[in-house]
Amino acid sequence: MPTIGFIYPDHAVEDEYPFAARLLGADVRLPVEHIYGTDLHAVPELLDLGSPERLAEGARLLAKHEPDAVVWACTSGSFVYRWDGAADQVAKLAAAAGKPASSTSFAFANAALALGLRRVSVAASYPAGVAEYFVEFLGAGGVEVVSMASADIDTAAEVGRLSPEAVIEFAVAHDHPGADAVLVPDTAMRTLDVVDEIEKRLGKPVLTANQVTVWEGLRLVGAHPRTDALGTLFRTGGA
């Protein structure tokens, strides 16, 4: 049974991880531990949130679960470091945990690669200035963003309070005809129970933050469980 540990910033919709575990079945454990800082979507605060010291604390908290891999479950707190800085961030996390490690930003890049997605639309909750870092990050990973929309929401707490209908409408409204998929990049946004509906409405794959984060953790240990309830990525196994 693979055990994937997730470091989640503060509190918002961390119950998505046990929800995913239930959908994936008894052969997967997805424990979550929290680190605390700001929930503000602003670059200086996000750089502090994803600092080596904070992530090392998350790794220490996860140790009791004896994870096979660990993932920093925060998109903005990883992509603001840009590609090389985010790679250094997860290398230090892996060293602190003594286990393979990754982050949500790399999860998006790897999931897009696994599905053969080269041109995407981004429906971001963040202010535009923060979301642009994600566009840059994806470009560094070989994924072209053909359209980017920003909801200009300042805090993770506000994102976590969005209704399922609001999440669906936001993602659907910001598709682009030239995009292979729509990416929704905030682990504070509840998406796992609506990703299939969004895909049905759009007729194309949708990648969301908590979805790709779970997938990435399992990928790190060579596991590719499938379910019909978490979008194209998990229907195909992403492999």
Side-chain angles (χ1 to χ4, degrees), residues 81-98:
Y81 280 82
R82 296 190 158 98
W83 188 274
D84 289 344
D88 182 64
Q89 181 187 57
V90 296
K92 290 176 178 174
L93 175 56

Side-chain angles (χ1 to χ4, degrees), residues 135-154:
V135 173
E136 177 191 310
F137 187 94
L138 291 172
V143 180
E144 178 188 358
V145 176
V146 297
S147 175
M148 192 277 284
S150 164
D152 201 32
I153 299 175
D154 287 328

Side-chain angles (χ1 to χ4, degrees), residues 36-123:
Y36 299 93
T38 182
D39 76 340
L40 186 65
H41 292 146
V43 173
E45 286 81 1
L46 291 167
L47 289 169
D48 177 69
L49 184 63
S51 68
E53 296 78 15
R54 290 189 188 276
L55 296 190
E57 173 60 18
R60 286 192 292 272
L61 292 169
L62 282 170
K64 63 179 176 287
H65 301 288
E66 300 182 346
D68 299 299
V70 298
V71 185
W72 170 218
C74 183
T75 326
S76 56
S78 47
F79 67 63
V80 292
Y81 280 82
R82 296 190 158 98
W83 188 274
D84 289 344
D88 182 64
Q89 181 187 57
V90 296
K92 290 176 178 174
L93 175 56
K99 302 291 180 180
S102 190
S103 68
T104 305
S105 292
F106 284 116
F108 272 109
N110 291 330
L113 178 64
L115 294 179
L117 309 174
R118 296 300 182 187
R119 304 177 81 243
V120 303
S121 179
V122 170

